[in-house]
Amino acid sequence: MFLFLIVVALITFYFLLKKHKKNDLEQFPEPPAKFLFGHALEVSSTTNLLDTFTKFTTVYGSTVRLRLGFILTSLLTTDYKLIEFILSSNQNLRKSLNYTFISPWLGNGLLLSDGAYWKQHRKILTPAFHFEILKQFVQVFQSVGNVLIDNLRKCEESPSIDLHPLVTLCTLDTICETAMGTKINAQKGENNEYVHSVKEMCRIVIDRCLSPIKLFRVTYWMTKDYYIQKKVLHILHEFTTSVITSKKQTKNSKSDDKKSVFLDLLLKFSKDQSLLSDEEIREEVDTFMFEGHDTTASAICFALYALANHPKIQKTVLEEQRELFGDEKDPIIAYQELQNMKYLELVIKETLRLYPSVPMIGRYTQEDFLFEGQVIPKRTNVALYIYGLHRNPEYFPEPEKFDPDRFNNLNGFLPFAYIPFSAGPRNCIGQKFAMLEMKSFISKVIRHFELTPAVPRHELILSVETVLKSANGIKVGLKKRI
Ligand code: HEM
């Protein structure tokens, strides 16, 4: 009887809610949905999400209405004008609800905060990415990159190696050293607990987005992941806090080798202008840790995979390296030389078009707004589907083709059709850092190794796991260059 009453209550609630939401967003088409579940079953796995969303936005309309269960209604869009409208507006800066899963780790860091708080912090943090600061990191990229090459050497002549685990440890070492001035030596197998906790936290976030049980706080509390999260959060926060404390204790707030890392700058702001509390600094450093390693690792691996499978393009990348450095495999590279790797930059741009590390971003509307005669009501989650936008043949002819040269000819190029780093006021603050880091590691690998397609041939299974990855790894063959 009790069960019966619950079912009746749920069904009544469903119809009331459907009626209410339908009135709000009814102008947008809804792909066929399952009773009670909505579209939840179709987006329940990290590997079918892209195909499903691409089908929805190509078959039913560039902006569609989606339902997760019968409670959450969202819009999914690849509509150029809507994306431009949302990203360039100063009114739609709040992130959509699924971002809250990461807030136990990042708190009110730049990625998640909004309103006046976000604006003030964005202003404070922007100078930390000035090129005079970034210049100092080139040396970190080189030393961390040397360890990557050592690790890859252990696998050379192997017909198939999965780059992703090695490159992820490399970018984790890089972000720790540049954000906190701390060497964690993840590539050498040290600090396993911290490295493991970063991985676990990223996994839990995506699991919560996809699992109906973990989606809601009340039911999430009953799962094992809730307890794992508690444990790993303790490790993550304790690690950052201890680095901050020890930095504060050193009289000179500079790292040992006299370069200013992001944390030094944040501590300086907090001392000079009392702008940031210890907790706020911790949240910003944790945000860099999260945003700044998985994103670049995926992009580097996808670029190397594309080069392995496009020998002519790889040859052009190598020729550019030889023009800059001759046959030297480990030259001391200056900031300006990274800037001069123009062809490699096209390769990275094309990689981020086909494999955007962040395949979609979300906004939560704070006001009703009128878009081309249609009302998009307050409190709507809007998912901006970058992956779909980047593969639209209207903007990118032969979209599946890996063709770096398409970025050489930008006549008639529409700026919001290519947004791997998002765009507008909330774009990626770390994009210049990321570009330098990616150029540094990719060029180093190419100078050392000839990349070949993996044997047996490896087809990617793209998977959305907070950032875009491949469920079966990103495999290539490696041959030492003589
Ligand atoms: C290939 C590498 C990267 C890609 C593709 C990328 C992409 C993005 C995208 C799409 C956003 C917007 C997110 C949203 O609106 O929800 C973003 C925001 C952000 N990124 Fe990156 N990112 C990369 C690397 C980095 C790095 C290396 C750092 C830090 C060192 C970083 C720090 C941030 C921060 C702090 C934000 C939030 C900015 C704000 O809301 O004001 N990112 N990134």
Side-chain angles (χ1 to χ4, degrees):
M1 182 64 182
F2 180 64
L3 196 69
F4 174 74
L5 286 176
I6 288 192
V7 172
V8 171
L10 280 175
I11 293 174
T12 315
F13 187 47
Y14 165 74
F15 281 110
L16 284 174
L17 219 103
K18 198 171 170 202
K19 187 165 178 286
H20 167 72
K21 275 288 171 188
K22 203 169 181 217
N23 291 340
D24 279 347
L25 296 167
E26 69 183 355
Q27 68 271 37
F28 296 101
E30 183 180 285
K34 301 263 183 322
F35 176 68
L36 282 183
F37 292 102
H39 304 93
L41 300 178
E42 278 148 297
V43 295
S44 59
S45 123
T46 57
T47 49
N48 71 8
L49 203 74
L50 296 173
D51 283 349
T52 306
F53 280 4
T54 300
K55 185 179 85 191
F56 285 170
T57 49
T58 46
V59 175
Y60 299 97
S62 55
T63 303
V64 291
R65 196 174 62 210
L66 295 186
R67 279 187 297 110
L68 272 187
F70 53 88
I71 294 181
L72 272 179
T73 306
S74 321
L75 291 179
L76 171 74
T77 187
T78 52
D79 182 298
Y80 182 90
K81 288 213 171 113
L82 182 55
I83 290 177
E84 179 182 30
F85 182 85
I86 290 180
L87 290 183
S88 38
S89 141
N90 277 315
Q91 308 304 319
N92 296 304
L93 299 176
R94 185 170 288 179
K95 299 298 173 76
S96 52
L97 293 180
N98 48 346
Y99 285 67
T100 50
F101 300 142
I102 194 82
S103 69
W105 182 14
L106 310 186
N108 246 341
L110 205 59
L111 181 71
L112 303 182
S113 56
D114 66 74
Y117 183 95
W118 166 79
K119 212 170 174 178
Q120 190 208 24
H121 279 228
R122 177 90 189 195
K123 211 168 148 193
I124 297 172
L125 292 174
T126 297
F129 290 87
H130 189 274
F131 79 93
E132 286 296 344
I133 305 290
L134 300 184
K135 260 179 173 176
Q136 310 171 86
F137 297 150
V138 175
Q139 186 213 329
V140 177
F141 301 152
Q142 308 225 30
S143 57
V144 174
N146 289 340
V147 185
L148 173 66
I149 298 298
D150 288 346
N151 284 343
L152 290 175
R153 276 213 185 103
K154 292 174 197 154
C155 326
E156 76 193 8
E157 305 310 331
S158 141
S160 169
I161 102 149
D162 182 5
L163 296 169
H164 199 262
L166 294 179
V167 174
T168 303
L169 294 179
C170 168
T171 56
L172 198 54
D173 274 348
T174 311
I175 196 69
C176 271
E177 202 170 335
T178 50
M180 300 192 265
T182 305
K183 289 189 195 329
I184 59 161
N185 294 325
Q187 293 186 98
K188 295 181 179 165
E190 295 173 24
N191 287 292
N192 279 335
E193 214 184 24
Y194 181 75
V195 175
H196 173 76
S197 303
V198 170
K199 266 196 208 158
E200 274 298 271
M201 201 53 218
C202 293
R203 178 193 63 77
I204 288 171
V205 170
I206 189 67
D207 275 5
R208 288 202 66 186
C209 293
L210 298 176
S211 150
I213 293 178
K214 295 176 191 167
L215 198 62
F216 302 101
R217 211 177 299 174
V218 194
T219 40
Y220 176 57
W221 285 340
M222 293 179 227
T223 68
K224 196 174 157 203
D225 270 358
Y226 173 69
Y227 295 94
I228 299 179
Q229 172 175 314
K230 255 180 134 171
K231 202 174 143 206
V232 299
L233 274 182
H234 180 72
I235 295 167
L236 292 171
H237 287 160
E238 206 176 54
F239 184 85
T240 335
T241 308
S242 73
V243 175
I244 295 172
T245 313
S246 80
K247 274 260 168 200
K248 282 182 95 170
Q249 280 162 358
T250 48
K251 269 193 218 126
N252 176 357
S253 70
K254 288 212 158 188
S255 61
D256 300 342
D257 52 4
K258 303 283 182 273
K259 70 178 175 298
S260 289
V261 296
F262 292 136
L263 176 56
D264 295 318
L265 297 163
L266 301 187
L267 287 172
K268 192 168 174 321
F269 294 134
S270 71
K271 208 167 123 212
D272 294 354
Q273 296 164 43
S274 320
L275 281 176
L276 298 170
S277 70
D278 279 5
E279 197 184 344
E280 287 171 348
I281 292 176
R282 204 252 313 137
E283 290 173 345
E284 298 303 354
V285 172
D286 282 342
T287 299
F288 292 162
M289 293 301 305
F290 170 69
E291 271 291 307
H293 89 281
D294 246 6
T295 45
T296 46
S298 280
I300 291 166
C301 294
F302 284 124
L304 294 173
Y305 174 87
L307 292 175
N309 289 284
H310 295 84
K312 273 195 189 152
I313 298 174
Q314 186 179 163
K315 193 165 161 251
T316 316
V317 171
L318 182 68
E319 278 163 11
E320 180 177 74
Q321 293 302 309
R322 292 208 163 134
E323 268 167 37
L324 288 166
F325 311 111
D327 279 338
E328 185 62 67
K329 288 200 178 83
D330 292 305
I332 308 287
I333 299 184
Y335 171 81
Q336 189 51 44
E337 283 162 331
L338 287 175
Q339 299 288 53
N340 291 345
M341 296 179 188
K342 298 288 180 207
Y343 186 71
L344 181 54
E345 189 162 320
L346 301 182
V347 168
I348 294 172
K349 282 186 172 163
E350 180 66 341
T351 303
L352 287 172
R353 180 186 71 80
L354 275 172
Y355 310 107
S357 309
V358 182
M360 68 194 86
I361 56 181
R363 291 288 187 274
Y364 186 68
T365 57
Q366 285 163 278
E367 297 296 333
D368 289 358
F369 68 86
L370 200 62
F371 173 72
E372 296 192 328
Q374 301 181 325
V375 177
I376 297 192
K378 190 173 166 176
R379 291 194 287 270
T380 302
N381 286 292
V382 187
L384 315 183
Y385 186 37
I386 297 177
Y387 179 92
L389 181 72
H390 284 184
R391 288 178 186 237
N392 182 341
E394 208 182 307
Y395 311 127
F396 300 101
E398 292 187 78
E400 302 296 325
K401 185 174 168 194
F402 187 81
D403 176 14
D405 282 319
R406 70 172 85 232
F407 285 98
N408 245 340
N409 174 14
L410 294 179
N411 278 346
F413 184 74
L414 296 165
F416 285 83
Y418 178 71
I419 48 168
F421 294 105
S422 182
R426 284 212 87 152
N427 69 354
C428 174
I429 200 171
Q431 57 184 293
K432 291 205 176 92
F433 173 95
M435 194 48 104
L436 291 173
E437 181 185 1
M438 292 185 286
K439 281 180 168 177
S440 181
F441 293 145
I442 296 169
S443 65
K444 201 171 181 76
V445 172
I446 290 294
R447 287 192 302 271
H448 278 268
F449 301 101
E450 183 191 343
L451 303 175
T452 53
V455 179
R457 202 173 173 82
H458 179 70
E459 296 296 339
L460 301 170
I461 301 178
L462 294 182
S463 167
V464 181
E465 302 172 22
T466 61
V467 308
L468 188 68
K469 294 188 184 167
S470 170
N472 55 345
I474 304 181
K475 297 184 184 170
V476 300
L478 290 178
K479 273 191 209 160
K480 189 178 171 183
R481 284 196 199 277
I482 310 297

